[in-house]
Amino acid sequence: MDFKRFINDIYLDEKVIAQMNGIYSQSEVLKLENFIKPEVYRELFSLVKDIRGDHVKITDRYSYEDLGDLSGVAKLFNSKDFLNFINGLSGEKFFNIDLKILGFGHKDYTLLHDSRENKRRIEFLFIFSNEWNKKWGGQVVYTNNKNKTLIFPVIGNSFILLDTQDMRKF
């Protein structure tokens, strides 16, 4: 799948990629809104909005649906073009993507947990959501033991890239 056909053209401009790389290099986090072209996002959203997966739960860690690979979505984000895009933004050289597609609904959650390995990795999130009421909560939160907290509200068609070394997500 040609990733470049789907991403918002502004994010493919070499000068913009260089700027995004500079921002990421300084802060180790990058958030891009309207990441996928609007017509493609609407089509993808209509395909995934009603999909249900296997519900997985470990009470003191998480509760969510494992949506499997969602074929078209997985092909988009698990492609060589996307990997090259991530490498360009991060200035790193990654060789593969460990892709997990999760669905969150009423009473689903992830909790902060110390048992995760603290090895260096980059994580990306892509958010599918049509309308999200802030009263529902549901932000994505990362924190560390140095009083650094990153809070990302649920905004559809958002892409977040961050270095998770020393960070925990809940």
Side-chain angles (χ1 to χ4, degrees), residues 129-139 153-154:
S129 179
N130 200 14
E131 292 181 29
W132 192 263
N133 186 330
K134 291 179 185 180
K135 293 177 187 175
W136 299 340
Q139 305 92 322
V154 176

Side-chain angles (χ1 to χ4, degrees), residues 61 101 103 113:
R61 287 188 161 180
I101 301 175
H113 207 280

Side-chain angles (χ1 to χ4, degrees), residues 36 40-49 72-73 76 128:
I36 294 178
V40 175
Y41 178 75
R42 282 190 297 275
E43 185 177 329
L44 282 174
F45 186 80
S46 71
L47 291 172
V48 302
K49 70 179 180 172
V73 176
L76 178 65
F128 279 107

Side-chain angles (χ1 to χ4, degrees), residues 26-44:
Q26 288 181 336
S27 63
E28 297 181 329
V29 63
L30 182 66
K31 182 177 180 192
L32 307 175
E33 294 185 9
N34 298 310
F35 183 64
I36 294 178
K37 292 177 181 174
E39 62 278 6
V40 175
Y41 178 75
R42 282 190 297 275
E43 185 177 329
L44 282 174

Side-chain angles (χ1 to χ4, degrees), residues 58 60-62 111-119 167-169:
I58 296 179
D60 67 341
R61 287 188 161 180
Y62 53 77
L111 298 175
L112 187 62
H113 207 280
D114 288 338
S115 68
R116 195 188 96 202
E117 274 186 56
N118 195 25
K119 64 182 181 181
M167 300 294 288
R168 299 285 187 258
K169 177 174 74 174

Side-chain angles (χ1 to χ4, degrees), residues 1-9 12 17 37 76 79 81-82 84-85:
M1 180 175 283
D2 184 8
F3 172 74
K4 294 177 182 178
R5 286 187 15 227
F6 301 101
I7 189 170
N8 189 327
D9 292 333
L12 297 173
I17 290 174
K37 292 177 181 174
L76 178 65
S79 67
D81 284 338
F82 182 70
N84 290 336
F85 179 75

Side-chain angles (χ1 to χ4, degrees), residues 97-131:
I97 293 174
D98 180 16
L99 183 67
K100 294 180 183 174
I101 301 175
L102 309 178
F104 289 85
H106 185 63
K107 295 188 178 184
D108 283 337
Y109 58 88
T110 59
L111 298 175
L112 187 62
H113 207 280
D114 288 338
S115 68
R116 195 188 96 202
E117 274 186 56
N118 195 25
K119 64 182 181 181
R120 177 126 198 291
R121 66 184 201 161
I122 288 181
E123 189 166 299
F124 79 88
L125 305 168
F126 180 76
I127 299 173
F128 279 107
S129 179
N130 200 14
E131 292 181 29

